[in-house]
Amino acid sequence: MATIKDVAAKAGVSISTVSHVLNRTRKVSDAARTRVEQAVCELNYAPNSVARSLKVNHTRTIGMLVTTSVHPFFAEVVQAVEDLCFELGYSLILCNTENRPERQLMHLRMLLEKRVDGLLVICTDTPPSLTELLHQHPELPLVMLDWSRNNDFADIIHDNADIGGHLAGKYLIEQGHRRFACITGQLHKGTSRLRLDGFTSALAEAGLTLPPDHIIEGDFETDSGYRAMQALLRRRTDATAVFAFSDTMAFGALCAITQAGLRVPRDISVIGYDDVNLARFTSPPLTTISHPKRTLGRWALELLLKRIKEKDHRPEQLELQPRLVVRESVCPPGSRD
């Protein structure tokens, strides 16, 4: 089996140069890099990552706990993290938790055993058991996405959900709507509460209110948006515009409205949240609040790598700013094609 010495000899470079090429730890001339990569290929050299990690006390591996990588929002964040990991020469171990505490704990223990260099957490439910286990490992660099601001042991990135909800309400009011309905996420979640608070504050500024029976609680998934919209239609509310707290729930709402023989936006306007890639391709294309997912993913990893390198790093809180993306699913009430 070829060794790193064999690669260095064949490429005509030092062992340290081979190491820098393989680990992407220092700039190497294009000529030297090409010779090393050729030698690695010809000798079929495979670095012993276990031995290397024991020697240098890092694995160049990042762990990531995510609710589910199937959901479009999480999938786009994960893709951004994975792309940057690849660029920087890191491996990513992705663990889907499905918001189940036992899976969260099992995956976290596994990642600790794998000696990951740091951990990204993007879970919509964070039970005390997981927080307690994280507290027990203060040596593990950690970044949490969209968690409570009341946290003193991890870096946190917020999406300013209240501002996003306010943007949605203000835009619908500017379009002439005065009667609204909301399909929320689970209302015990901070993100849902903030989006609802932002939306109702925009209405209050215009002297408007959101009737309690015009609020249907969903779970951020398409099926719940579909069922919630059906419930709103059965109640025969006079709402001319619906704010869905995620694009996936908005997709379900669009389907329910169409199946009821109504048209979006002529009969009912719909606005979503997140601006996932599929939002551009619904019929009609979905107006939504953009949550910059690729920026979120890249910021999270960059912040984690900073925490890994700076042992005395103090926890930081960064904020993303949502923005309105206007497409074709909202129009003034009473408009005709």
Side-chain angles (χ1 to χ4, degrees):
M1 181 180 293
T3 67
I4 192 170
K5 291 182 180 178
D6 298 326
V7 175
K10 189 170 186 62
V13 299
S14 66
I15 292 175
S16 64
T17 298
V18 175
S19 177
H20 288 310
V21 170
L22 295 177
N23 296 318
R24 305 182 187 182
T25 49
R26 196 183 72 188
K27 186 172 177 59
V28 175
S29 70
D30 292 341
R33 180 179 297 278
T34 298
R35 292 202 303 274
V36 169
E37 291 173 346
Q38 248 179 350
V40 167
C41 183
E42 292 174 8
L43 295 173
N44 197 26
Y45 171 68
N48 187 331
S49 59
V50 174
R52 184 175 64 213
S53 66
L54 291 173
K55 181 178 179 181
V56 301
N57 199 32
H58 65 75
T59 60
R60 296 192 71 79
T61 301
I62 301 298
M64 187 172 187
L65 294 181
V66 62
T67 299
T68 171
S69 58
V70 175
H71 191 285
F73 171 79
F74 292 119
E76 292 178 38
V77 175
V78 169
Q79 184 179 18
V81 171
E82 193 171 28
D83 287 348
L84 187 55
C85 278
F86 180 79
E87 290 175 24
L88 299 177
Y90 279 80
S91 298
L92 180 68
I93 300 178
L94 178 65
C95 301
N96 288 280
T97 69
E98 304 297 339
N99 277 339
R100 290 164 52 188
E102 68 276 11
R103 289 188 63 158
Q104 291 174 333
L105 297 177
M106 180 191 72
H107 286 316
L108 180 55
R109 292 192 180 102
M110 178 272 292
L111 292 171
L112 291 168
E113 290 173 4
K114 295 288 186 183
R115 301 177 68 246
V116 295
D117 292 341
L119 179 65
L120 295 175
V121 178
I122 177 169
C123 294
T124 53
D125 278 336
T126 53
S129 55
L130 178 60
T131 304
E132 182 180 349
L133 187 56
L134 291 170
H135 265 295
Q136 293 172 9
H137 296 276
E139 77 286 354
L140 179 65
L142 173 66
V143 171
M144 297 178 177
L145 284 69
D146 293 335
W147 270 24
S148 167
R149 296 171 188 262
N150 301 318
N151 190 319
D152 60 358
F153 69 97
D155 294 292
I156 308 172
I157 299 178
H158 305 288
D159 75 333
N160 280 306
D162 52 339
I163 295 176
H166 191 277
L167 285 172
K170 183 179 178 182
Y171 178 68
L172 292 176
I173 292 168
E174 289 173 346
Q175 292 299 300
H177 293 278
R178 298 294 181 267
R179 299 184 301 277
F180 311 90
C182 282
I183 301 174
T184 72
Q186 298 95 324
L187 288 173
H188 69 270
K189 298 183 185 297
T191 296
S192 295
R193 294 302 317 175
L194 286 170
R195 290 179 188 177
L196 184 59
D197 289 346
F199 187 76
T200 54
S201 71
L203 269 56
E205 290 169 7
L208 303 171
T209 59
L210 181 65
D213 65 339
H214 286 207
I215 301 172
I216 303 288
E217 186 174 358
D219 62 7
F220 292 108
E221 299 295 339
T222 307
D223 284 350
S224 72
Y226 177 78
R227 292 191 300 271
M229 193 67 236
Q230 285 184 318
L232 287 169
L233 293 172
R234 284 196 300 271
R235 292 179 186 180
R236 299 185 181 277
T237 67
D238 57 357
T240 60
V242 175
F243 174 31
F245 283 23
S246 73
D247 289 347
T248 46
M249 291 195 297
F251 298 159
L254 291 175
C255 182
I257 292 168
T258 301
Q259 288 183 353
L262 302 172
R263 294 183 61 183
V264 176
R266 187 185 69 179
D267 300 309
I268 302 177
S269 289
V270 176
I271 186 169
Y273 201 111
D274 288 334
D275 192 28
V276 301
N277 286 332
L278 289 174
R280 296 175 293 158
F281 304 109
T282 55
S283 180
L286 185 66
T287 293
T288 184
I289 304 300
S290 176
H291 187 159
K293 296 162 292 303
R294 292 196 63 82
T295 300
L296 177 65
R298 293 182 74 90
W299 275 14
L301 183 56
E302 288 169 355
L303 193 54
L304 181 62
L305 296 179
K306 179 180 178 182
R307 193 178 179 99
I308 290 169
K309 293 175 183 176
E310 300 176 6
K311 299 305 179 184
D312 59 348
H313 174 75
R314 296 177 64 84
E316 296 182 31
Q317 295 194 12
L318 302 180
E319 294 190 346
L320 294 166
Q321 293 299 320
R323 64 182 180 87
L324 174 69
V325 178
V326 176
R327 295 197 178 99
E328 299 171 25
S329 63
V330 174
C331 72
S335 295
R336 292 291 182 266
D337 292 343

